[in-house]
Amino acid sequence: MFLGFRKRRTPGGTFALRVAAPLGIGLGAMIVGTMPARSADETANQDVENVVVTATKRNESLQKVPLAVSVVDGEQAAQENLNNLNDISSIVPSLNFRNGASNKDQGLFIRGMGTVTTSPGAEPSVSTVIDGVALDRPGQATLDLLDVERIEVLRGPQGTLFGKNASAGVVNIVTQQPTEEAHGYGDVSYFGGGDEFRAKAGVSGALVPGKAKGLLSVLSSDYGGNVTNVYNGDKVNGYDHNGARTKIELTPSDTFRVLFAADYLHSRETIPSGVISSTNITYPGGVTTANPAFANLISPVQASAGNTNINTNTNTHADDDNGGVSAQLDWSIGNHTLTSISAYRKWKNGQLQDFDRTSSSLNKQIVDHGELDFDQISQELRLASPTGQFLEYVTGLYYLHTVDDEVYSRTDTATSGTVNNGTARYGTRGDNYSAFGEATFNFTDDFRGIAGARVIRDELSYYHGRVSTAADTGISASSPYATGNTSDLGYADRVGLQYDLTRKATTYVTYSHGYKGPAYNVFFNMVPSTQGAALKAETSNSYEIGLKTKTLEDRLLFNAALFHTTFDNYQANFPNLVNGAVVTNLINAGQVSSRGFEADFTAKPCKQLTFTGNLAATDARIDHTLVTPKNWPINGEPLPFTPKWKTNLRADYRIPVNEDYAITLGTNYRWQSKVQYDLSESPDTIQKAYGIWDADISLNNLASSWRITLLAKNVLDKTYSSYLQSSGATSTSGTAGYVYRWVPRDAERYFGINLRKDF
């Protein structure tokens, strides 16, 4: 890790100095620096400085924003082989990730709240925003992060400024901007544990000095994987990614700026549909049902908590094309700024999955194939007042139009050779209209009030039809073509007070109301006649008290927050059996709540040594629901994907060698308590508590702007699962099931090297 400075050109044309401290996450920030060409002695400051964020749609000091925000430096994260939001969630205590065999099946959770569904008729509770453009589907944002400047994680409802699908929080991704001065870089990495190779390069500079500048970045990466398919000897659980991003910024005058951006990423993921971790199912009453027949079917694979082998005859994989274009226009009108962001995004996803997870002819073979085609068009228009006056505000209008078309097929081949199949064609159309605004009232220099609201109009429709040869395992009977539509008028709001105790310490208290619109559970086995009713809108009420402070002559930064959030009509997936196969249904699960405490610190006892740490204590529980399948009571039980305790600690020691060279020694330890992965509260889908220790050493040549880093990941070789799922069982005395796991990248120890050169 390095403490450093980055010169950044602001939209108005002046240069600002961004100061970043080493890794530190929590309420205040995870702040890490970059490596400009400065001497080793010059970069060794003893102050812990702030970063600028856009969490309030303005450039504002992180320490002054009355929100719980974490900030991850994109370049530093990539250096540590943290390349997507799944990786980032491992080091941000309040952010958690739901894995899956395709990014279509993945999702984010903040403070225990998130939406798990593959239905195109439902939005996530955690909104992902890239350069001001909100992504409607969670799968659009779970691939490689290319040329990212920073990632801001905003916790709690953020609907007033970021939209309706932010009832639990926002992940705001800000990518690098074009520079006036010519700049380029090359970055290559190699990591063991599956032969992972990553290469990035970029150039930026003036096209017409003072009037136009551009940026182009490219990415290519390949990873063989850390799971072996004994059926054919292939390595799986890997990927192949290739992408590019370009931006052109025009400044025809001092009062007008245009930024055109385009990005594209093609990906193939070979994530298996599940690695068998147990052939037993344990029931809440303590009864364990064994499944020795299935254990024989997957032989020679031995089911265990650390198993990294599969035995399947279908090469499960997903192909993904994800990209878009946008145009941001900024006008200075007197002391006000008018901003327009127009965007179009395209997402295509195809997946092939081995549903039965075996290769034996003695077992029914079930293969799934899905194709997704998704488009979204959005337009945001907002007006920002000048700062430094009694009333400061941001207000605007927003429109989003989405079109989703999908085809999903399942083929069942019995041991007798009989083949049954079903094919469903379905999709959704959505429109969102909203008006929003948030204001700050500066009653005094030290005392402020905050008030904001968003009024939202949702319109959503679906179509669905399925043709099946016969009802079979995981296949419902044919369903005629059907349609449905719904609409809703909702709102989000936020009010609060902020008081500066001193020049470097501020406190705040806020109340927020969040809203996520109505939904349809549109999926392969949908039966519109019984499942075609729209789900009610999900709403939340959140209270938060926070403290942000720096002390000991700016050598210690300490931030903390207490929060309590209640969700009504919580939209969640619940497992159900269809002809003996587990499927999930999106339902209004009832009322849930989350309460807890978050804290972080960054300390520099001397110029060379930096300590950072953060903690999230989250009690997220199901308060009330009528859903009790198989007589499994879930009231009072924890929400999935949310450990009660999660922490991250880091130390960095910087050793100046001479005027040009410096060595940095870094070590990081993250730990979390046990976590439940299934809303049905199965005892088999609990990941026990675990801790991961990483270490790195870097040699930095500041004069020539190059760096070499050696990394050791999961030094103690601790095995864990990033997701566990039960195949289910019909009863305690009936058909037995099994449990399968998702194997994370760092499920075992591996080493790597990163080389970077700036020019």
Side-chain angles (χ1 to χ4, degrees), residues 231-296:
Y231 176 76
N232 52 21
D234 289 350
K235 281 288 189 180
V236 296
N237 206 35
Y239 61 78
D240 182 12
H241 295 170
N242 294 280
R245 181 185 304 278
T246 186
K247 291 184 178 181
I248 296 177
E249 181 179 336
L250 308 177
T251 51
S253 70
D254 292 338
T255 59
F256 184 58
R257 169 184 177 263
V258 182
L259 179 65
F260 297 102
D263 66 274
Y264 171 75
L265 182 68
H266 172 75
S267 172
R268 165 161 282 211
E269 309 281 339
T270 61
I271 303 173
S273 54
V275 179
I276 310 302
S277 59
S278 174
T279 55
N280 294 338
I281 293 288
T282 304
Y283 293 86
V287 179
T288 299
T289 301
N291 195 347
F294 191 79
N296 290 332

Side-chain angles (χ1 to χ4, degrees), residues 229-486:
N229 187 352
V230 300
Y231 176 76
N232 52 21
D234 289 350
K235 281 288 189 180
V236 296
N237 206 35
Y239 61 78
D240 182 12
H241 295 170
N242 294 280
R245 181 185 304 278
T246 186
K247 291 184 178 181
I248 296 177
E249 181 179 336
L250 308 177
T251 51
S253 70
D254 292 338
T255 59
F256 184 58
R257 169 184 177 263
V258 182
L259 179 65
F260 297 102
D263 66 274
Y264 171 75
L265 182 68
H266 172 75
S267 172
R268 165 161 282 211
E269 309 281 339
T270 61
I271 303 173
S273 54
V275 179
I276 310 302
S277 59
S278 174
T279 55
N280 294 338
I281 293 288
T282 304
Y283 293 86
V287 179
T288 299
T289 301
N291 195 347
F294 191 79
N296 290 332
L297 290 173
I298 64 172
S299 180
V301 174
Q302 298 293 315
S304 69
N307 177 33
T308 57
N309 294 316
I310 61 173
N311 186 356
T312 65
N313 56 357
T314 299
N315 291 320
T316 293
H317 65 270
D319 291 303
D320 198 278
D321 292 278
N322 202 326
V325 294
S326 66
Q328 177 173 334
L329 287 68
D330 296 298
W331 292 273
S332 294
I333 304 174
N335 292 326
H336 290 70
T337 301
L338 181 65
T339 298
S340 169
I341 303 178
S342 308
Y344 167 76
R345 295 203 66 85
K346 179 78 170 179
W347 179 32
K348 293 178 70 70
N349 179 278
Q351 54 181 306
L352 185 70
Q353 296 192 24
D354 192 319
F355 185 88
D356 63 282
R357 302 177 184 89
T358 70
S359 63
S360 174
S361 60
L362 300 177
N363 190 58
K364 177 176 285 192
Q365 297 296 301
I366 307 176
V367 177
D368 290 351
H369 180 241
E371 296 288 342
L372 173 150
D373 193 342
F374 177 82
D375 299 84
Q376 72 169 67
I377 298 172
S378 62
Q379 174 63 53
E380 181 174 2
L381 188 67
R382 66 175 184 261
L383 181 69
S385 72
T387 59
Q389 54 187 26
F390 171 73
L391 176 62
E392 302 172 1
Y393 62 85
V394 175
T395 186
L397 301 170
Y398 180 77
Y399 172 69
L400 172 69
H401 176 69
T402 62
V403 176
D404 181 279
D405 295 296
E406 300 189 33
V407 180
Y408 202 92
S409 300
R410 175 167 291 167
T411 301
D412 292 357
T413 304
T415 56
S416 64
T418 302
V419 178
N420 287 315
N421 60 69
T423 299
R425 298 179 183 274
Y426 53 89
T428 59
R429 305 290 185 268
D431 289 284
N432 169 248
Y433 311 83
S434 61
F436 64 91
E438 186 165 291
T440 299
F441 302 90
N442 294 298
F443 301 123
T444 70
D445 290 342
D446 300 325
F447 183 52
R448 293 172 287 283
I450 305 113
R454 178 182 289 254
V455 179
I456 303 156
R457 168 72 177 179
D458 272 314
E459 297 176 358
L460 180 64
S461 64
Y462 81 89
Y463 71 91
H464 183 278
R466 182 178 57 258
V467 177
S468 304
T469 57
D472 204 341
T473 305
I475 300 177
S476 292
S478 294
S479 180
Y481 182 84
T483 62
N485 63 81
T486 188

